[in-house]
Amino acid sequence: MGTFKTRLGVSDGNGGATQWVEALVDTDATYTVLPASLLHGLLGVEPRAQAEFTFGDGRKMLMPVGEARHHVEDREATSRVVFGNEGQYLLGATALQELGLIPDVTNHRLIPAPELLI
């Protein structure tokens, strides 16, 4: 799949300020990954649990996870976020699904997903 970046707003979901970043649209990543300094430091998002993640090269790592409000264009949804390292800005598949968006890799943009019940 081709990759591209999109403008992503992130907030604590409790009426706090939204921080806007450029994030790589990564449907191979289950969850959104953002720097801990952004999530916890600027937004006050608290880790709620630790989860073990497997990387493409087979490495496994225990990482903190929480929930944050995602804002893309005119859509908003709360979704799980992983507290990552500096420079990690990935918009994952779960958030895209919650937002009702799919990647249009030809035109490097996100488009509304078809609404299916089955």
Side-chain angles (χ1 to χ4, degrees):
M1 178 187 109
T3 60
F4 61 93
K5 291 185 177 183
T6 193
R7 188 168 185 250
L8 169 65
V10 186
S11 65
D12 66 4
N14 295 318
T18 300
Q19 294 290 318
W20 292 90
V21 299
E22 289 293 314
L24 183 68
V25 175
D26 187 354
T27 57
D28 289 333
T30 304
Y31 302 116
T32 297
V33 181
L34 296 167
S37 63
L38 170 68
L39 292 170
H40 187 67
L42 287 175
L43 299 174
V45 175
E46 295 290 335
R48 295 187 175 186
Q50 297 259 341
E52 184 176 69
F53 293 94
T54 303
F55 292 83
D57 62 4
R59 288 179 299 127
K60 295 181 186 252
M61 183 180 295
L62 198 61
M63 299 176 77
V65 294
E67 288 189 357
R69 194 85 177 149
H70 292 61
H71 310 262
V72 176
E73 297 173 8
D74 63 344
R75 295 173 183 241
E76 295 181 25
T78 299
S79 188
R80 195 172 225 195
V81 290
V82 178
F83 290 69
N85 297 322
E86 291 305 311
Q88 288 186 297
Y89 296 91
L90 302 176
L91 177 57
T94 302
L96 288 172
Q97 185 176 13
E98 292 291 335
L99 289 161
L101 296 169
I102 57 174
D104 172 358
V105 295
T106 302
N107 296 304
H108 299 262
R109 63 190 179 127
L110 294 170
I111 59 173
E115 299 292 339
L116 303 174
L117 291 176
I118 26 180

